[in-house]
Structures are given as structure tokens and as C-alpha cells.
Amino acid sequence: MNKKLYMVSLGPGDVELLTLKALNAFKKCDAICVPTKSADNSFTKSISYKIVSNALNLLEVSKPVVPVYSPMHFRYEDWVHEADVILETLQQHNSICFVTLGDAGIYSSIYYLLNIIKEKQKKVYDNCEVIAGVTSFSAASAEAKKALCLGDEELIIKPINPRGKVKTTQILMRPKIGMDTKSLGEGDFYTFENMYLEDAKITPSKIEKVKKYMTLFINFAKRS
């Protein structure tokens, strides 16, 4: 049986903002790995643990919860340790969840861990599923009842205290049908057409012409 790893986004803190996919992953999995900043592996100060506990109460299910020490020092050896705990837990179970606050794609450790897991156990990486979540800024916008962007406005997300040279990922939305994409330039492009619909298509490059209104381009930051 193939082992299954779910990388689950917890959203901004409210259990009611967990997605159905996240809740279904909690129901299906055998154990849940939860990060903690406490060296003694306690969950006293863990927001993630509180959300997971509330979710399990909501689902009326019980699952083993495995602490993953995550000191947040942005050191490679720390991510290797976290990945090792995840893989060791997966050896004991057929399917597990690892959780992260907010959305996995926004300033999360998920992809540091997945890169290491890919090197250590490619089959686990290939069978892994990343579950998106509600971002803190989407939730903040809703609380304030103010749009993040309207019409042709841009939305910029940036770190306040960057640790080095800043790289940029571009999300390009609202193209016109028939549009030639040469003007978008070059880069590490992915094209997403009609996501989650019956004819959904993901192309790991930039398509030449826009055919569908629901087309999204992401030009990912160039990373070594």
C-alpha cells in the first residue's frame, strides 16, 4: 500500500475557516504531525495544536498527535529533522497529516520540507497532497469589509524584514480570451485553466494564447 502524506493548511486561526479538504484529510489520516516551538515537544504555546484540537472535536474523532519541533531558525538542519520526524511517523502509519498555519504556499515551511522529502523518499513526495488554506490577509480583508484589489489594482505581498535579496513570484490574473502571452515575458511559468472544473488543465509552462476566461498564470520566483 502506498503511504499517503497530506500537507494541510490550517488557515488564519479560526477552525471554521478550515477547508472541507482539510477536515476530510483529518478524518482519513491515521495520525497528525503538529509543529511546536517548544524544545520539550509540549503544545502549550502552539496555535496549530489548538486549531487541530478544535477540528478533531468538531469532527468527533480522535487521532494520535505527533509533536514536530520547529524552532523557526531557518536552518537547513532543522528542516531535515522535521522531515525525518514526518517520515518516521509515516513508517508507523499508512497516512498522516502535517499541518501549517495559513496557506502552504505563503511563507510556509511546507516546501522546504517537501524538497527534503523528495530527496529522501521520492515515492512519498509523489504521493503527497498539499491542501490549500485561507490566508491571514484574505481573512483580514473580510473582517475589515474592504477589498484587497478591485478593477485593475495590483496586490503586493512582501516580507517586512527580508533576510537577503528579495525574489519575486508573479500571479497574473484576468487575461482576455485570445490574448497572446508573449508580453508576459519569460520565467518559471505555470498556466492554470479552469481549475477544479471538469476540463481543468495545468501546464508547467506559459501557453501561447489564452483560450479560457478562468486562466491564471504564475511566474514562480527563480530559486536555486
Side-chain angles (χ1 to χ4, degrees), residues 60-157:
E60 297 182 338
V61 297
S62 177
K63 305 281 177 173
V65 176
V66 179
V68 181
Y69 179 47
S70 308
M72 298 296 290
H73 294 150
F74 294 91
R75 295 184 309 207
Y76 180 76
E77 57 266 32
D78 291 333
W79 291 319
V80 170
H81 169 72
E82 292 176 48
D84 285 342
V85 173
I86 291 168
L87 292 172
E88 286 165 11
T89 305
L90 196 55
Q91 285 181 348
Q92 302 166 30
H93 303 280
N94 288 323
S95 64
I96 66 168
C97 291
F98 176 84
V99 300
T100 184
L101 291 172
D103 173 72
I106 308 290
Y107 300 127
S108 164
S109 64
I110 288 290
Y111 290 99
Y112 295 112
L113 298 176
L114 280 181
N115 286 340
I116 294 167
I117 289 170
K118 185 177 182 180
E119 291 178 3
K120 286 177 171 282
Q121 293 192 29
K122 182 71 162 42
K123 285 185 179 180
V124 171
Y125 172 85
D126 289 341
N127 202 37
C128 169
E129 181 178 346
V130 179
I131 297 176
V134 176
T135 64
S136 57
F137 48 86
S138 290
S141 167
E143 290 291 327
K145 298 177 186 173
K146 292 180 72 70
L148 291 172
C149 41
L150 291 171
D152 291 330
E153 296 172 352
E154 292 184 354
L155 172 65
I156 298 173
I157 305 163

Side-chain angles (χ1 to χ4, degrees), residues 184-195:
L184 301 182
E186 301 301 320
D188 185 10
F189 272 93
Y190 273 63
T191 306
F192 303 83
E193 299 172 276
N194 284 359
M195 272 198 299

